[in-house]
Amino acid sequence: MTNARQLILVVEDEATIAETILYALQTEGFAPVWTSTGREALAALAAQAVALAVLDVGLPDMSGFDVCREAQKRTPVPVIFLTARSSEVDRIVGLELGADDYLAKPFSPRELTARVRAVLRRTNGREPAAPDHRTAWQHDEARCLIRYRGHALDLARNEYRLMTVLLRSPGRVFSREQLMAAAWEDPGSATDRTVDAHIKLLRAKLRDVAPLSDPLVTHRGMGYSLREEI
Ligand code: CA
């Protein structure tokens, strides 16, 4: 078992509780990783193949519910919620967040590891939560839907058409004229600035998905290209 240690993400802002959980998971042969904020948790989920997340509902920067919702959009992962209030239990059940189980505080470490094992057994057949960089882009042409890093983009018509042109030839530099001709039904109505403005909007939407990536490349005096991602 030791060479197949599964990564368990523990998101808990109370250090003493986190320590107890980490110790219990380690003892049971898991590889636990600890973050104390929601933002760190989402970054960890994007960067590593996490087998399961133990997620406290009350976090300092965002609620565990929001973390779960974001995580399921990008890199789906089995979740066990930790709750401090019974009102939170109603929300876990009612919101259909995709949570697999929950534990009310205080709980015994043994109870937690038993739940972790049970959820992992149940979810074994599910898609593994691998880092999503391998397929940065997915284009469902029938639905006019483009996903970036697993996240469906909400694009206006011209943004969608512009993105479609760029996606067909990653790395190729398109002039503004070429982009206008390809993406606008009436290219005469668009100007260079129109293209620039749409690229700016697209960049903002892509940043929402992956703040540190900038897949649209500006080539001074020439135009734009889509960065070739693996
Ligand atoms: Ca807390």
Side-chain angles (χ1 to χ4, degrees):
M1 282 296 278
T2 41
N3 48 4
R5 301 215 307 163
Q6 287 178 294
L7 215 62
I8 310 291
L9 179 66
V10 177
V11 191
E12 167 63 68
D13 56 316
E14 281 168 76
T16 48
I17 297 178
E19 267 168 39
T20 310
I21 297 173
L22 293 180
Y23 180 76
L25 288 171
Q26 241 157 17
T27 309
E28 293 283 315
F30 293 106
V33 181
W34 175 41
T35 70
S36 57
T37 67
R39 270 177 211 296
E40 286 169 348
L42 289 173
L45 284 168
Q48 303 171 78
V50 173
L52 181 147
V54 177
L55 189 51
D56 183 29
V57 172
L59 294 167
D61 59 337
M62 56 204 282
S63 87
F65 297 131
D66 292 335
V67 176
C68 183
R69 205 175 282 123
E70 278 304 305
Q72 304 308 350
K73 270 193 253 173
R74 300 178 192 187
T75 44
V77 64
V79 168
I80 296 179
F81 274 117
L82 303 180
T83 75
R85 288 193 295 271
S86 53
S87 60
E88 291 171 346
V89 174
D90 296 340
R91 293 192 66 195
I92 291 168
V93 177
L95 283 175
E96 296 179 50
L97 287 164
D100 293 280
D101 205 348
Y102 65 89
L103 272 172
K105 293 176 181 176
F107 53 85
S108 75
R110 183 171 297 209
E111 197 179 352
L112 175 85
T113 52
R115 300 287 183 98
V116 168
R117 284 198 187 289
V119 169
L120 285 174
R121 258 200 311 274
R122 266 206 321 266
T123 57
N124 225 3
R126 243 191 238 175
E127 284 283 291
D132 51 356
H133 315 137
R134 260 177 298 163
T135 49
W137 298 95
Q138 286 160 323
H139 189 182
D140 184 343
E141 301 205 25
R143 293 188 194 172
C144 294
L145 182 71
I146 294 173
R147 287 176 187 277
Y148 181 53
R149 302 196 175 203
H151 187 95
L153 299 173
D154 182 16
L155 302 177
R157 196 166 59 138
N158 284 336
E159 292 165 5
Y160 170 75
R161 293 175 65 148
L162 196 53
M163 210 53 243
T164 301
V165 176
L166 292 165
L167 275 171
R168 281 195 195 123
S169 310
R172 177 180 158 187
V173 180
F174 290 90
S175 69
R176 290 175 175 77
E177 291 72 24
Q178 285 171 327
L179 290 172
M180 270 187 268
W184 268 260
E185 265 165 14
D186 176 15
S189 68
T191 67
D192 285 9
R193 287 211 177 171
T194 316
V195 174
D196 292 344
H198 279 77
I199 292 281
K200 199 174 165 187
L201 291 169
L202 277 171
R203 278 191 170 133
K205 290 180 180 180
L206 297 172
R207 249 198 318 271
D208 282 346
V209 177
L212 299 177
S213 76
D214 185 16
L216 302 180
V217 186
T218 307
H219 299 266
R220 270 181 179 277
M222 296 197 290
Y224 297 99
S225 72
L226 180 70
R227 198 183 301 282
E228 288 181 87
E229 292 188 56
I230 321 152

